[in-house]
Amino acid sequence: MSSKALESLVARGRHANDFREQREIAFGLVDFSTHPEVHEQLVKKGGVETLLHFLNVTQDAEAQQFAALAVANVASSTSVCRDIVMLDGVVAGLIQYVGNEKGDSIGRQYCALALGNLLVKTDTHKSIIEGGGIGALLTMLKNCCDAKEFDAARYPTSAISHIASNSQYHWQIMLGGALELLVALACCEDSDTQRHAVAAVRGLCITAENRVKFCKNGILDPLILMSRSNEIDVVREVSSALNIMSLEEDNKEEISYRAMSTLISLLVSGDGDVERNSCSAIANLVEVKDIHSRFLEELGLSPLIALCSSPYGPCRVEA
């Protein structure tokens, strides 16, 4: 890729006032952003600031979409995430766009994708959270749920799931109404959104009190339904969520009553991670003696014994 061509686009972008020219430049920068080897140059030569300038000033929705997508592409390179966050006004611009309820839907999705890509690196969390990132992402999720545009929720849900991996921000996420939103998104028909929602639930359930809240507010039904998915990544998230929720004493009776047969079926999924999580969840549940009979009635003993010979070491230990 030509360094001079990139510099020319960046320079033109700083002074472009005509929306057609802005769209052309943004499209050119999107093209550059599809090449990971150019990402560092885009950051160092001012390309990201030019793209954020388009997001802030252009009235052309297509130019905004191109600009947001280009930033998201660049942010997919973890080596430059911290540099992007340190650029003046970039995080604030992305957050403002995501939180703008009247903004272009596609542009908001790409800005949420950009934030999600940045949040893959934990050292970016503080800057994005302090800039109001949680509130903006939850606002977008609420908009998506209200409009039943669940496919548009996959990127902000993914971003929330990354933040949820850090327990110090759990109270902010829950205070913003994430519980009801994530349960609703786990019930939707978009498998990517579902997977990210369950990943967020799993992360939030690192905090013990959240395990009880999610269990009491309807997360078990969508988890049981999602356990039948043909997508193994979805099933892994489900088994992991059931495992961590089963740690809580107040949840054990409810999970055993509603999801014991699901956990037993997951013991024979053929996937080592799913089987290990399911074994672990059952181990947590049968700490309560009254649950033993339910486990036996659901014919769980045979697959559990079979897993004692599993070639996957961690699963064998759990069994």
Side-chain angles (χ1 to χ4, degrees), residues 6 52 65 81 84 86 94 103 130 132-133 145 168 181 188 193 195 199 209 222 258 264 287 292 294 300:
L6 173 60
L52 260 293
Q65 292 166 13
C81 284
I84 293 173
M86 296 299 292
L94 291 171
E130 290 181 351
C145 287
Q168 73 181 96
L181 292 171
C188 79
T193 300
R195 185 178 74 256
E209 65 185 64
R258 307 267 305 277
I264 291 171
E287 289 175 357
H292 291 187
R294 186 170 298 149

Side-chain angles (χ1 to χ4, degrees), residues 1-3 6 29-45 70 73-80:
M1 301 295 290
S2 170
S3 178
L6 173 60
L29 290 174
V30 166
D31 185 39
F32 271 100
S33 73
T34 61
H35 300 274
E37 67 275 12
V38 183
H39 289 177
E40 187 174 345
Q41 288 186 62
L42 269 164
V43 175
K44 289 183 176 180
K45 294 181 182 298
N73 287 343
V74 177
S76 68
S77 289
T78 55
S79 60
V80 298

Side-chain angles (χ1 to χ4, degrees), residues 227 235 238-239 242 262-269 274-275 278:
S227 72
V235 182
V238 168
S239 66
L242 288 171
T262 296
L263 288 168
I264 291 171
S265 68
L266 293 177
L267 291 177
V268 293
S269 68
V274 172
E275 292 174 351
S278 302

Side-chain angles (χ1 to χ4, degrees), residues 81-254:
C81 284
R82 186 62 188 167
D83 294 330
I84 293 173
V85 167
M86 296 299 292
L87 294 173
D88 186 39
V90 171
V91 167
L94 291 171
I95 290 172
Q96 182 178 5
Y97 203 101
V98 167
N100 181 7
E101 298 185 68
K102 296 181 180 179
D104 175 73
S105 175
I106 296 175
R108 291 178 79 190
Q109 290 178 56
Y110 287 146
C111 284
L113 174 60
L115 288 175
N117 287 342
L118 292 172
L119 286 162
V120 169
K121 297 287 288 182
T122 56
D123 60 359
T124 67
H125 287 196
K126 183 178 180 180
S127 297
I128 293 173
I129 276 72
E130 290 181 351
I134 291 175
L137 290 164
L138 291 176
T139 294
M140 185 173 173
L141 286 184
K142 186 177 187 304
N143 297 155
C144 292
C145 287
D146 290 345
K148 300 189 183 305
E149 295 177 349
F150 298 117
D151 58 335
R154 65 184 62 167
Y155 296 139
T157 310
S158 176
I160 287 292
S161 75
H162 291 313
I163 301 173
S165 67
N166 193 329
S167 60
Q168 73 181 96
Y169 301 121
H170 284 183
W171 69 271
Q172 293 183 53
I173 298 173
M174 296 296 284
L175 188 65
L179 191 154
E180 294 83 2
L181 292 171
L182 291 173
V183 171
L185 291 168
C187 294
C188 79
E189 295 182 357
D190 185 87
S191 61
D192 288 330
T193 300
Q194 282 185 315
R195 185 178 74 256
H196 294 317
V198 176
V201 170
R202 173 175 53 78
L204 290 168
C205 284
I206 294 170
T207 301
E209 65 185 64
N210 291 339
R211 299 170 195 160
V212 177
K213 290 179 181 178
F214 276 106
C215 193
K216 288 184 175 179
N217 283 274
I219 196 62
L220 287 180
D221 285 340
L223 288 178
I224 291 167
L225 289 173
M226 290 167 66
S227 72
R228 303 165 190 164
S229 171
N230 292 324
E231 298 185 33
I232 193 60
D233 287 345
V234 172
V235 182
R236 284 172 182 159
E237 289 292 355
V238 168
S239 66
S240 183
L242 288 171
N243 183 16
I244 195 167
M245 290 176 66
S246 68
L247 289 167
E248 201 61 32
E249 201 69 29
D250 290 345
N251 289 345
K252 291 183 179 181
E253 178 62 28
E254 181 77 6

